[in-house]
Amino acid sequence: LSTNPVLQEHAQKNKGLAARSAASADTLDLPFYDDFSDPVIVPRFDRWIDTLTYINMDMAIAPPSYGVATFDGLNGAGLAYNIANQNAYGVADYLTSAPIDLNYLPSDSVYLSFYYQMTGLGNAPEAEDSLVLEFQSPADTLDWVHIWSTPGDLPDTVFRSVYIPITDTTWLKRGFQFRFKNYATLSGNLDHWHVDYIILD
């Protein structure tokens, strides 16, 4: 499908319900955890500040838990970001955490881990597509820093695990945020990535 009817219906029922800003979000304590197993369609407001990814239980293949956050070329209302240009390309979905209290020492072994899968039961990303992880320091709320990414040319569709120790004091502050984003074709329900079992602890 070129759209996502489930997200379209959800958006119609929840008109006027906008994603909250980081400034209005409560600062969360560790552990931060989401396995996307709750019966919701968009990310939970008590953990995330945007509603662009599709929370579902049927687009991934053998996920680690019963539910994933799916990234594609559609916005939070289930419509293409750019329907006018079939070849439009760029950043599509974001999944951004609420601010988190990361006021710890480098020796405290803080880490972020997650699982991801390319394609699943959806459309395969091309080589130029990618899934990206970025960090933001509360001392610099204008810039997001690239931490990790993977291109859309993986040889399989298995779930892979990523484990990132956080030892740089740039990030070890109250108000730390992280986010995922994907680069995709913006004209339809394309270039799928699925993320699951996110833990910051």
Side-chain angles (χ1 to χ4, degrees), residues 59-61 69-71 115-131 148 150-160 191-195:
M59 289 194 68
I61 298 173
T70 295
F71 295 73
Y115 288 83
Y116 72 94
Q117 179 186 64
M118 186 183 77
T119 310
L121 296 174
N123 174 258
E126 281 73 46
E128 65 270 19
D129 301 326
S130 60
L131 179 69
W148 170 93
T150 187
D153 58 356
L154 301 177
D156 52 51
T157 60
V158 300
F159 267 91
R160 300 165 184 263
D191 304 332
H192 293 97
W193 298 91
H194 313 289
V195 175

PDB file of all heavy atoms in Angstrom, residues 59-61 69-71 115-131 148 150-160 191-195:
ATOM      1  N   MET A  59       4.601  -6.401  11.257  1.00  0.00           N
ATOM      2  CA  MET A  59       5.443  -6.073  10.104  1.00  0.00           C
ATOM      3  C   MET A  59       6.856  -6.631  10.198  1.00  0.00           C
ATOM      4  O   MET A  59       7.574  -6.671   9.200  1.00  0.00           O
ATOM      5  CB  MET A  59       5.504  -4.560   9.896  1.00  0.00           C
ATOM      6  CG  MET A  59       4.193  -3.976   9.388  1.00  0.00           C
ATOM      7  SD  MET A  59       4.372  -2.295   8.760  1.00  0.00           S
ATOM      8  CE  MET A  59       5.356  -2.571   7.290  1.00  0.00           C
ATOM      9  N   ALA A  60       7.277  -7.048  11.391  1.00  0.00           N
ATOM     10  CA  ALA A  60       8.615  -7.613  11.561  1.00  0.00           C
ATOM     11  C   ALA A  60       8.546  -9.136  11.528  1.00  0.00           C
ATOM     12  O   ALA A  60       7.492  -9.737  11.735  1.00  0.00           O
ATOM     13  CB  ALA A  60       9.215  -7.136  12.874  1.00  0.00           C
ATOM     14  N   ILE A  61       9.682  -9.753  11.287  1.00  0.00           N
ATOM     15  CA  ILE A  61       9.786 -11.205  11.291  1.00  0.00           C
ATOM     16  C   ILE A  61      10.528 -11.639  12.546  1.00  0.00           C
ATOM     17  O   ILE A  61      11.672 -11.254  12.766  1.00  0.00           O
ATOM     18  CB  ILE A  61      10.537 -11.715  10.047  1.00  0.00           C
ATOM     19  CG1 ILE A  61       9.785 -11.332   8.767  1.00  0.00           C
ATOM     20  CG2 ILE A  61      10.731 -13.231  10.115  1.00  0.00           C
ATOM     21  CD1 ILE A  61      10.543 -11.658   7.492  1.00  0.00           C
ATOM     22  N   ALA A  69       8.819  -0.785  16.613  1.00  0.00           N
ATOM     23  CA  ALA A  69       8.614   0.552  16.042  1.00  0.00           C
ATOM     24  C   ALA A  69       9.111   0.496  14.606  1.00  0.00           C
ATOM     25  O   ALA A  69      10.281   0.187  14.359  1.00  0.00           O
ATOM     26  CB  ALA A  69       9.372   1.607  16.829  1.00  0.00           C
ATOM     27  N   THR A  70       8.223   0.767  13.647  1.00  0.00           N
ATOM     28  CA  THR A  70       8.564   0.668  12.232  1.00  0.00           C
ATOM     29  C   THR A  70       8.802   2.052  11.637  1.00  0.00           C
ATOM     30  O   THR A  70       7.988   2.960  11.789  1.00  0.00           O
ATOM     31  CB  THR A  70       7.440  -0.051  11.459  1.00  0.00           C
ATOM     32  OG1 THR A  70       7.357  -1.405  11.914  1.00  0.00           O
ATOM     33  CG2 THR A  70       7.716  -0.056   9.966  1.00  0.00           C
ATOM     34  N   PHE A  71       9.936   2.180  10.935  1.00  0.00           N
ATOM     35  CA  PHE A  71      10.311   3.393  10.219  1.00  0.00           C
ATOM     36  C   PHE A  71      10.068   3.165   8.730  1.00  0.00           C
ATOM     37  O   PHE A  71      10.406   2.110   8.203  1.00  0.00           O
ATOM     38  CB  PHE A  71      11.796   3.718  10.447  1.00  0.00           C
ATOM     39  CG  PHE A  71      12.146   4.070  11.863  1.00  0.00           C
ATOM     40  CD1 PHE A  71      12.187   3.098  12.847  1.00  0.00           C
ATOM     41  CD2 PHE A  71      12.464   5.378  12.207  1.00  0.00           C
ATOM     42  CE1 PHE A  71      12.527   3.423  14.161  1.00  0.00           C
ATOM     43  CE2 PHE A  71      12.810   5.716  13.510  1.00  0.00           C
ATOM     44  CZ  PHE A  71      12.834   4.729  14.491  1.00  0.00           C
ATOM     45  N   TYR A 115      17.614  -3.679  19.331  1.00  0.00           N
ATOM     46  CA  TYR A 115      17.625  -4.592  18.199  1.00  0.00           C
ATOM     47  C   TYR A 115      17.024  -3.882  16.993  1.00  0.00           C
ATOM     48  O   TYR A 115      16.140  -3.040  17.127  1.00  0.00           O
ATOM     49  CB  TYR A 115      16.788  -5.838  18.495  1.00  0.00           C
ATOM     50  CG  TYR A 115      17.400  -6.792  19.485  1.00  0.00           C
ATOM     51  CD1 TYR A 115      17.272  -6.578  20.845  1.00  0.00           C
ATOM     52  CD2 TYR A 115      18.087  -7.923  19.053  1.00  0.00           C
ATOM     53  CE1 TYR A 115      17.813  -7.461  21.767  1.00  0.00           C
ATOM     54  CE2 TYR A 115      18.637  -8.812  19.968  1.00  0.00           C
ATOM     55  CZ  TYR A 115      18.494  -8.576  21.316  1.00  0.00           C
ATOM     56  OH  TYR A 115      19.038  -9.452  22.224  1.00  0.00           O
ATOM     57  N   TYR A 116      17.483  -4.249  15.795  1.00  0.00           N
ATOM     58  CA  TYR A 116      16.898  -3.684  14.579  1.00  0.00           C
ATOM     59  C   TYR A 116      16.864  -4.742  13.480  1.00  0.00           C
ATOM     60  O   TYR A 116      17.655  -5.693  13.460  1.00  0.00           O
ATOM     61  CB  TYR A 116      17.674  -2.455  14.107  1.00  0.00           C
ATOM     62  CG  TYR A 116      19.023  -2.769  13.507  1.00  0.00           C
ATOM     63  CD1 TYR A 116      19.178  -2.929  12.126  1.00  0.00           C
ATOM     64  CD2 TYR A 116      20.154  -2.922  14.309  1.00  0.00           C
ATOM     65  CE1 TYR A 116      20.415  -3.230  11.574  1.00  0.00           C
ATOM     66  CE2 TYR A 116      21.381  -3.220  13.772  1.00  0.00           C
ATOM     67  CZ  TYR A 116      21.516  -3.380  12.404  1.00  0.00           C
ATOM     68  OH  TYR A 116      22.734  -3.679  11.858  1.00  0.00           O
ATOM     69  N   GLN A 117      15.909  -4.560  12.577  1.00  0.00           N
ATOM     70  CA  GLN A 117      15.757  -5.454  11.428  1.00  0.00           C
ATOM     71  C   GLN A 117      15.446  -4.618  10.190  1.00  0.00           C
ATOM     72  O   GLN A 117      14.650  -3.685  10.260  1.00  0.00           O
ATOM     73  CB  GLN A 117      14.618  -6.446  11.669  1.00  0.00           C
ATOM     74  CG  GLN A 117      14.356  -7.407  10.514  1.00  0.00           C
ATOM     75  CD  GLN A 117      13.122  -8.272  10.770  1.00  0.00           C
ATOM     76  OE1 GLN A 117      12.006  -7.778  10.859  1.00  0.00           O
ATOM     77  NE2 GLN A 117      13.341  -9.574  10.933  1.00  0.00           N
ATOM     78  N   MET A 118      16.057  -4.974   9.082  1.00  0.00           N
ATOM     79  CA  MET A 118      15.748  -4.351   7.809  1.00  0.00           C
ATOM     80  C   MET A 118      14.646  -5.138   7.117  1.00  0.00           C
ATOM     81  O   MET A 118      14.639  -6.370   7.164  1.00  0.00           O
ATOM     82  CB  MET A 118      17.000  -4.326   6.929  1.00  0.00           C
ATOM     83  CG  MET A 118      16.843  -3.573   5.634  1.00  0.00           C
ATOM     84  SD  MET A 118      18.325  -3.655   4.589  1.00  0.00           S
ATOM     85  CE  MET A 118      18.156  -5.305   3.912  1.00  0.00           C
ATOM     86  N   THR A 119      13.696  -4.454   6.516  1.00  0.00           N
ATOM     87  CA  THR A 119      12.647  -5.024   5.662  1.00  0.00           C
ATOM     88  C   THR A 119      11.557  -5.742   6.443  1.00  0.00           C
ATOM     89  O   THR A 119      10.410  -5.317   6.467  1.00  0.00           O
ATOM     90  CB  THR A 119      13.216  -5.990   4.596  1.00  0.00           C
ATOM     91  OG1 THR A 119      14.295  -5.368   3.909  1.00  0.00           O
ATOM     92  CG2 THR A 119      12.129  -6.388   3.621  1.00  0.00           C
ATOM     93  N   GLY A 120      11.884  -6.872   7.093  1.00  0.00           N
ATOM     94  CA  GLY A 120      10.844  -7.683   7.713  1.00  0.00           C
ATOM     95  C   GLY A 120       9.848  -8.126   6.663  1.00  0.00           C
ATOM     96  O   GLY A 120      10.222  -8.647   5.599  1.00  0.00           O
ATOM     97  N   LEU A 121       8.548  -7.870   6.880  1.00  0.00           N
ATOM     98  CA  LEU A 121       7.516  -8.197   5.902  1.00  0.00           C
ATOM     99  C   LEU A 121       7.175  -6.995   5.021  1.00  0.00           C
ATOM    100  O   LEU A 121       6.172  -7.006   4.309  1.00  0.00           O
ATOM    101  CB  LEU A 121       6.256  -8.692   6.614  1.00  0.00           C
ATOM    102  CG  LEU A 121       6.422  -9.994   7.394  1.00  0.00           C
ATOM    103  CD1 LEU A 121       5.164 -10.315   8.174  1.00  0.00           C
ATOM    104  CD2 LEU A 121       6.789 -11.144   6.458  1.00  0.00           C
ATOM    105  N   GLY A 122       8.016  -5.971   5.074  1.00  0.00           N
ATOM    106  CA  GLY A 122       7.764  -4.756   4.318  1.00  0.00           C
ATOM    107  C   GLY A 122       8.619  -4.643   3.078  1.00  0.00           C
ATOM    108  O   GLY A 122       9.006  -5.637   2.465  1.00  0.00           O
ATOM    109  N   ASN A 123       8.958  -3.408   2.722  1.00  0.00           N
ATOM    110  CA  ASN A 123       9.732  -3.092   1.529  1.00  0.00           C
ATOM    111  C   ASN A 123      11.200  -2.933   1.899  1.00  0.00           C
ATOM    112  O   ASN A 123      11.540  -2.261   2.863  1.00  0.00           O
ATOM    113  CB  ASN A 123       9.194  -1.792   0.907  1.00  0.00           C
ATOM    114  CG  ASN A 123      10.034  -1.316  -0.259  1.00  0.00           C
ATOM    115  OD1 ASN A 123      10.830  -0.401  -0.110  1.00  0.00           O
ATOM    116  ND2 ASN A 123       9.854  -1.920  -1.409  1.00  0.00           N
ATOM    117  N   ALA A 124      12.085  -3.534   1.112  1.00  0.00           N
ATOM    118  CA  ALA A 124      13.517  -3.516   1.420  1.00  0.00           C
ATOM    119  C   ALA A 124      14.129  -2.149   1.145  1.00  0.00           C
ATOM    120  O   ALA A 124      13.926  -1.589   0.064  1.00  0.00           O
ATOM    121  CB  ALA A 124      14.237  -4.571   0.600  1.00  0.00           C
ATOM    122  N   PRO A 125      14.853  -1.574   2.109  1.00  0.00           N
ATOM    123  CA  PRO A 125      15.589  -0.333   1.840  1.00  0.00           C
ATOM    124  C   PRO A 125      16.667  -0.549   0.786  1.00  0.00           C
ATOM    125  O   PRO A 125      17.221  -1.650   0.651  1.00  0.00           O
ATOM    126  CB  PRO A 125      16.223   0.000   3.196  1.00  0.00           C
ATOM    127  CG  PRO A 125      15.390  -0.741   4.196  1.00  0.00           C
ATOM    128  CD  PRO A 125      14.963  -2.004   3.503  1.00  0.00           C
ATOM    129  N   GLU A 126      16.959   0.507   0.032  1.00  0.00           N
ATOM    130  CA  GLU A 126      18.055   0.456  -0.929  1.00  0.00           C
ATOM    131  C   GLU A 126      19.366   0.785  -0.225  1.00  0.00           C
ATOM    132  O   GLU A 126      19.383   1.187   0.938  1.00  0.00           O
ATOM    133  CB  GLU A 126      17.805   1.450  -2.068  1.00  0.00           C
ATOM    134  CG  GLU A 126      16.822   0.966  -3.116  1.00  0.00           C
ATOM    135  CD  GLU A 126      15.394   0.979  -2.590  1.00  0.00           C
ATOM    136  OE1 GLU A 126      14.991   1.978  -1.985  1.00  0.00           O
ATOM    137  OE2 GLU A 126      14.690  -0.028  -2.805  1.00  0.00           O
ATOM    138  N   ALA A 127      20.481   0.627  -0.962  1.00  0.00           N
ATOM    139  CA  ALA A 127      21.806   0.825  -0.368  1.00  0.00           C
ATOM    140  C   ALA A 127      21.995   2.237   0.179  1.00  0.00           C
ATOM    141  O   ALA A 127      22.704   2.438   1.167  1.00  0.00           O
ATOM    142  CB  ALA A 127      22.886   0.513  -1.403  1.00  0.00           C
ATOM    143  N   GLU A 128      21.360   3.236  -0.448  1.00  0.00           N
ATOM    144  CA  GLU A 128      21.539   4.614   0.027  1.00  0.00           C
ATOM    145  C   GLU A 128      20.669   4.933   1.232  1.00  0.00           C
ATOM    146  O   GLU A 128      20.846   5.973   1.871  1.00  0.00           O
ATOM    147  CB  GLU A 128      21.231   5.619  -1.097  1.00  0.00           C
ATOM    148  CG  GLU A 128      19.789   5.620  -1.563  1.00  0.00           C
ATOM    149  CD  GLU A 128      19.509   4.651  -2.703  1.00  0.00           C
ATOM    150  OE1 GLU A 128      20.314   3.724  -2.904  1.00  0.00           O
ATOM    151  OE2 GLU A 128      18.493   4.831  -3.398  1.00  0.00           O
ATOM    152  N   ASP A 129      19.714   4.067   1.556  1.00  0.00           N
ATOM    153  CA  ASP A 129      18.867   4.273   2.733  1.00  0.00           C
ATOM    154  C   ASP A 129      19.635   3.862   3.988  1.00  0.00           C
ATOM    155  O   ASP A 129      20.598   3.099   3.921  1.00  0.00           O
ATOM    156  CB  ASP A 129      17.587   3.445   2.618  1.00  0.00           C
ATOM    157  CG  ASP A 129      16.785   3.792   1.376  1.00  0.00           C
ATOM    158  OD1 ASP A 129      16.799   4.973   0.993  1.00  0.00           O
ATOM    159  OD2 ASP A 129      16.163   2.887   0.800  1.00  0.00           O
ATOM    160  N   SER A 130      19.174   4.337   5.140  1.00  0.00           N
ATOM    161  CA  SER A 130      19.877   3.976   6.364  1.00  0.00           C
ATOM    162  C   SER A 130      19.010   4.213   7.585  1.00  0.00           C
ATOM    163  O   SER A 130      18.022   4.944   7.541  1.00  0.00           O
ATOM    164  CB  SER A 130      21.186   4.775   6.508  1.00  0.00           C
ATOM    165  OG  SER A 130      20.924   6.162   6.544  1.00  0.00           O
ATOM    166  N   LEU A 131      19.394   3.561   8.672  1.00  0.00           N
ATOM    167  CA  LEU A 131      18.838   3.794   9.999  1.00  0.00           C
ATOM    168  C   LEU A 131      19.937   4.421  10.833  1.00  0.00           C
ATOM    169  O   LEU A 131      21.080   3.928  10.825  1.00  0.00           O
ATOM    170  CB  LEU A 131      18.366   2.475  10.623  1.00  0.00           C
ATOM    171  CG  LEU A 131      17.774   2.556  12.025  1.00  0.00           C
ATOM    172  CD1 LEU A 131      16.426   3.281  11.999  1.00  0.00           C
ATOM    173  CD2 LEU A 131      17.599   1.149  12.611  1.00  0.00           C
ATOM    174  N   TRP A 148      25.700   6.266  15.515  1.00  0.00           N
ATOM    175  CA  TRP A 148      25.693   4.937  14.877  1.00  0.00           C
ATOM    176  C   TRP A 148      24.752   4.968  13.687  1.00  0.00           C
ATOM    177  O   TRP A 148      23.771   5.730  13.673  1.00  0.00           O
ATOM    178  CB  TRP A 148      25.211   3.905  15.900  1.00  0.00           C
ATOM    179  CG  TRP A 148      24.928   2.540  15.344  1.00  0.00           C
ATOM    180  CD1 TRP A 148      25.780   1.481  15.288  1.00  0.00           C
ATOM    181  CD2 TRP A 148      23.690   2.075  14.771  1.00  0.00           C
ATOM    182  NE1 TRP A 148      25.158   0.395  14.713  1.00  0.00           N
ATOM    183  CE2 TRP A 148      23.875   0.736  14.394  1.00  0.00           C
ATOM    184  CE3 TRP A 148      22.454   2.672  14.542  1.00  0.00           C
ATOM    185  CZ2 TRP A 148      22.867  -0.024  13.792  1.00  0.00           C
ATOM    186  CZ3 TRP A 148      21.445   1.938  13.946  1.00  0.00           C
ATOM    187  CH2 TRP A 148      21.657   0.607  13.587  1.00  0.00           C
ATOM    188  N   THR A 150      23.418   2.255  10.064  1.00  0.00           N
ATOM    189  CA  THR A 150      23.586   1.059   9.248  1.00  0.00           C
ATOM    190  C   THR A 150      22.931   1.306   7.900  1.00  0.00           C
ATOM    191  O   THR A 150      21.863   1.924   7.823  1.00  0.00           O
ATOM    192  CB  THR A 150      22.976  -0.182   9.934  1.00  0.00           C
ATOM    193  OG1 THR A 150      23.293  -1.356   9.189  1.00  0.00           O
ATOM    194  CG2 THR A 150      21.475  -0.069  10.081  1.00  0.00           C
ATOM    195  N   PRO A 151      23.568   0.873   6.802  1.00  0.00           N
ATOM    196  CA  PRO A 151      23.015   1.132   5.465  1.00  0.00           C
ATOM    197  C   PRO A 151      21.963   0.101   5.082  1.00  0.00           C
ATOM    198  O   PRO A 151      21.844  -0.959   5.708  1.00  0.00           O
ATOM    199  CB  PRO A 151      24.251   1.011   4.569  1.00  0.00           C
ATOM    200  CG  PRO A 151      25.115   0.011   5.282  1.00  0.00           C
ATOM    201  CD  PRO A 151      24.901   0.260   6.749  1.00  0.00           C
ATOM    202  N   GLY A 152      21.231   0.406   4.026  1.00  0.00           N
ATOM    203  CA  GLY A 152      20.160  -0.475   3.586  1.00  0.00           C
ATOM    204  C   GLY A 152      20.596  -1.548   2.624  1.00  0.00           C
ATOM    205  O   GLY A 152      19.874  -1.861   1.676  1.00  0.00           O
ATOM    206  N   ASP A 153      21.765  -2.132   2.829  1.00  0.00           N
ATOM    207  CA  ASP A 153      22.231  -3.189   1.923  1.00  0.00           C
ATOM    208  C   ASP A 153      22.637  -4.444   2.693  1.00  0.00           C
ATOM    209  O   ASP A 153      23.566  -5.153   2.319  1.00  0.00           O
ATOM    210  CB  ASP A 153      23.403  -2.695   1.070  1.00  0.00           C
ATOM    211  CG  ASP A 153      24.588  -2.219   1.919  1.00  0.00           C
ATOM    212  OD1 ASP A 153      24.466  -2.202   3.157  1.00  0.00           O
ATOM    213  OD2 ASP A 153      25.618  -1.860   1.330  1.00  0.00           O
ATOM    214  N   LEU A 154      21.920  -4.714   3.792  1.00  0.00           N
ATOM    215  CA  LEU A 154      22.240  -5.897   4.591  1.00  0.00           C
ATOM    216  C   LEU A 154      21.871  -7.157   3.811  1.00  0.00           C
ATOM    217  O   LEU A 154      20.913  -7.165   3.033  1.00  0.00           O
ATOM    218  CB  LEU A 154      21.487  -5.860   5.921  1.00  0.00           C
ATOM    219  CG  LEU A 154      21.767  -4.634   6.800  1.00  0.00           C
ATOM    220  CD1 LEU A 154      20.906  -4.677   8.050  1.00  0.00           C
ATOM    221  CD2 LEU A 154      23.231  -4.565   7.171  1.00  0.00           C
ATOM    222  N   PRO A 155      22.590  -8.257   4.044  1.00  0.00           N
ATOM    223  CA  PRO A 155      22.343  -9.467   3.254  1.00  0.00           C
ATOM    224  C   PRO A 155      21.158 -10.298   3.734  1.00  0.00           C
ATOM    225  O   PRO A 155      20.835 -11.302   3.113  1.00  0.00           O
ATOM    226  CB  PRO A 155      23.655 -10.240   3.423  1.00  0.00           C
ATOM    227  CG  PRO A 155      24.153  -9.831   4.768  1.00  0.00           C
ATOM    228  CD  PRO A 155      23.764  -8.379   4.909  1.00  0.00           C
ATOM    229  N   ASP A 156      20.534  -9.930   4.836  1.00  0.00           N
ATOM    230  CA  ASP A 156      19.452 -10.745   5.380  1.00  0.00           C
ATOM    231  C   ASP A 156      18.458  -9.847   6.113  1.00  0.00           C
ATOM    232  O   ASP A 156      18.619  -8.629   6.153  1.00  0.00           O
ATOM    233  CB  ASP A 156      20.003 -11.817   6.329  1.00  0.00           C
ATOM    234  CG  ASP A 156      20.914 -11.210   7.396  1.00  0.00           C
ATOM    235  OD1 ASP A 156      20.490 -10.245   8.062  1.00  0.00           O
ATOM    236  OD2 ASP A 156      22.048 -11.693   7.560  1.00  0.00           O
ATOM    237  N   THR A 157      17.427 -10.447   6.702  1.00  0.00           N
ATOM    238  CA  THR A 157      16.424  -9.683   7.435  1.00  0.00           C
ATOM    239  C   THR A 157      16.320 -10.156   8.881  1.00  0.00           C
ATOM    240  O   THR A 157      15.257 -10.063   9.496  1.00  0.00           O
ATOM    241  CB  THR A 157      15.043  -9.799   6.764  1.00  0.00           C
ATOM    242  OG1 THR A 157      14.646 -11.175   6.745  1.00  0.00           O
ATOM    243  CG2 THR A 157      15.072  -9.251   5.354  1.00  0.00           C
ATOM    244  N   VAL A 158      17.414 -10.644   9.442  1.00  0.00           N
ATOM    245  CA  VAL A 158      17.398 -11.065  10.844  1.00  0.00           C
ATOM    246  C   VAL A 158      17.468  -9.835  11.738  1.00  0.00           C
ATOM    247  O   VAL A 158      17.882  -8.754  11.315  1.00  0.00           O
ATOM    248  CB  VAL A 158      18.577 -12.006  11.161  1.00  0.00           C
ATOM    249  CG1 VAL A 158      18.523 -13.249  10.298  1.00  0.00           C
ATOM    250  CG2 VAL A 158      19.908 -11.292  10.988  1.00  0.00           C
ATOM    251  N   PHE A 159      17.058  -9.990  12.992  1.00  0.00           N
ATOM    252  CA  PHE A 159      17.244  -8.926  13.971  1.00  0.00           C
ATOM    253  C   PHE A 159      18.692  -8.941  14.446  1.00  0.00           C
ATOM    254  O   PHE A 159      19.237  -9.985  14.787  1.00  0.00           O
ATOM    255  CB  PHE A 159      16.293  -9.103  15.152  1.00  0.00           C
ATOM    256  CG  PHE A 159      15.011  -8.355  14.991  1.00  0.00           C
ATOM    257  CD1 PHE A 159      13.915  -8.964  14.400  1.00  0.00           C
ATOM    258  CD2 PHE A 159      14.899  -7.028  15.376  1.00  0.00           C
ATOM    259  CE1 PHE A 159      12.732  -8.272  14.221  1.00  0.00           C
ATOM    260  CE2 PHE A 159      13.719  -6.317  15.198  1.00  0.00           C
ATOM    261  CZ  PHE A 159      12.628  -6.940  14.624  1.00  0.00           C
ATOM    262  N   ARG A 160      19.288  -7.774  14.464  1.00  0.00           N
ATOM    263  CA  ARG A 160      20.670  -7.615  14.936  1.00  0.00           C
ATOM    264  C   ARG A 160      20.659  -6.774  16.203  1.00  0.00           C
ATOM    265  O   ARG A 160      19.818  -5.876  16.347  1.00  0.00           O
ATOM    266  CB  ARG A 160      21.526  -6.932  13.861  1.00  0.00           C
ATOM    267  CG  ARG A 160      21.604  -7.705  12.559  1.00  0.00           C
ATOM    268  CD  ARG A 160      22.146  -6.843  11.429  1.00  0.00           C
ATOM    269  NE  ARG A 160      22.142  -7.558  10.164  1.00  0.00           N
ATOM    270  CZ  ARG A 160      23.202  -8.188   9.657  1.00  0.00           C
ATOM    271  NH1 ARG A 160      24.352  -8.176  10.307  1.00  0.00           N
ATOM    272  NH2 ARG A 160      23.110  -8.819   8.507  1.00  0.00           N
ATOM    273  N   ASP A 191      10.816   1.280   2.239  1.00  0.00           N
ATOM    274  CA  ASP A 191      12.117   1.286   2.916  1.00  0.00           C
ATOM    275  C   ASP A 191      11.980   1.070   4.427  1.00  0.00           C
ATOM    276  O   ASP A 191      12.329   1.933   5.238  1.00  0.00           O
ATOM    277  CB  ASP A 191      12.848   2.602   2.648  1.00  0.00           C
ATOM    278  CG  ASP A 191      13.017   2.874   1.156  1.00  0.00           C
ATOM    279  OD1 ASP A 191      13.073   1.900   0.386  1.00  0.00           O
ATOM    280  OD2 ASP A 191      13.084   4.048   0.759  1.00  0.00           O
ATOM    281  N   HIS A 192      11.522  -0.094   4.807  1.00  0.00           N
ATOM    282  CA  HIS A 192      11.162  -0.352   6.201  1.00  0.00           C
ATOM    283  C   HIS A 192      12.339  -0.808   7.063  1.00  0.00           C
ATOM    284  O   HIS A 192      13.148  -1.645   6.663  1.00  0.00           O
ATOM    285  CB  HIS A 192      10.064  -1.423   6.267  1.00  0.00           C
ATOM    286  CG  HIS A 192       8.762  -0.965   5.693  1.00  0.00           C
ATOM    287  ND1 HIS A 192       8.370  -1.253   4.417  1.00  0.00           N
ATOM    288  CD2 HIS A 192       7.776  -0.204   6.231  1.00  0.00           C
ATOM    289  CE1 HIS A 192       7.181  -0.716   4.183  1.00  0.00           C
ATOM    290  NE2 HIS A 192       6.808  -0.070   5.260  1.00  0.00           N
ATOM    291  N   TRP A 193      12.376  -0.232   8.257  1.00  0.00           N
ATOM    292  CA  TRP A 193      13.258  -0.669   9.345  1.00  0.00           C
ATOM    293  C   TRP A 193      12.390  -0.898  10.575  1.00  0.00           C
ATOM    294  O   TRP A 193      11.436  -0.172  10.817  1.00  0.00           O
ATOM    295  CB  TRP A 193      14.301   0.391   9.682  1.00  0.00           C
ATOM    296  CG  TRP A 193      15.254   0.731   8.585  1.00  0.00           C
ATOM    297  CD1 TRP A 193      15.110   1.709   7.647  1.00  0.00           C
ATOM    298  CD2 TRP A 193      16.509   0.115   8.324  1.00  0.00           C
ATOM    299  NE1 TRP A 193      16.191   1.744   6.818  1.00  0.00           N
ATOM    300  CE2 TRP A 193      17.063   0.776   7.197  1.00  0.00           C
ATOM    301  CE3 TRP A 193      17.217  -0.934   8.913  1.00  0.00           C
ATOM    302  CZ2 TRP A 193      18.310   0.417   6.666  1.00  0.00           C
ATOM    303  CZ3 TRP A 193      18.451  -1.285   8.386  1.00  0.00           C
ATOM    304  CH2 TRP A 193      18.990  -0.614   7.274  1.00  0.00           C
ATOM    305  N   HIS A 194      12.753  -1.885  11.371  1.00  0.00           N
ATOM    306  CA  HIS A 194      12.014  -2.184  12.597  1.00  0.00           C
ATOM    307  C   HIS A 194      12.988  -2.179  13.779  1.00  0.00           C
ATOM    308  O   HIS A 194      14.034  -2.826  13.725  1.00  0.00           O
ATOM    309  CB  HIS A 194      11.332  -3.552  12.489  1.00  0.00           C
ATOM    310  CG  HIS A 194      10.614  -3.744  11.191  1.00  0.00           C
ATOM    311  ND1 HIS A 194       9.449  -3.090  10.869  1.00  0.00           N
ATOM    312  CD2 HIS A 194      10.927  -4.503  10.109  1.00  0.00           C
ATOM    313  CE1 HIS A 194       9.053  -3.447   9.664  1.00  0.00           C
ATOM    314  NE2 HIS A 194       9.933  -4.294   9.174  1.00  0.00           N
ATOM    315  N   VAL A 195      12.631  -1.437  14.828  1.00  0.00           N
ATOM    316  CA  VAL A 195      13.479  -1.332  16.024  1.00  0.00           C
ATOM    317  C   VAL A 195      12.718  -1.905  17.208  1.00  0.00           C
ATOM    318  O   VAL A 195      11.496  -1.702  17.347  1.00  0.00           O
ATOM    319  CB  VAL A 195      13.862   0.137  16.291  1.00  0.00           C
ATOM    320  CG1 VAL A 195      14.633   0.273  17.599  1.00  0.00           C
ATOM    321  CG2 VAL A 195      14.691   0.679  15.134  1.00  0.00           C
TER     322      VAL A 195
END
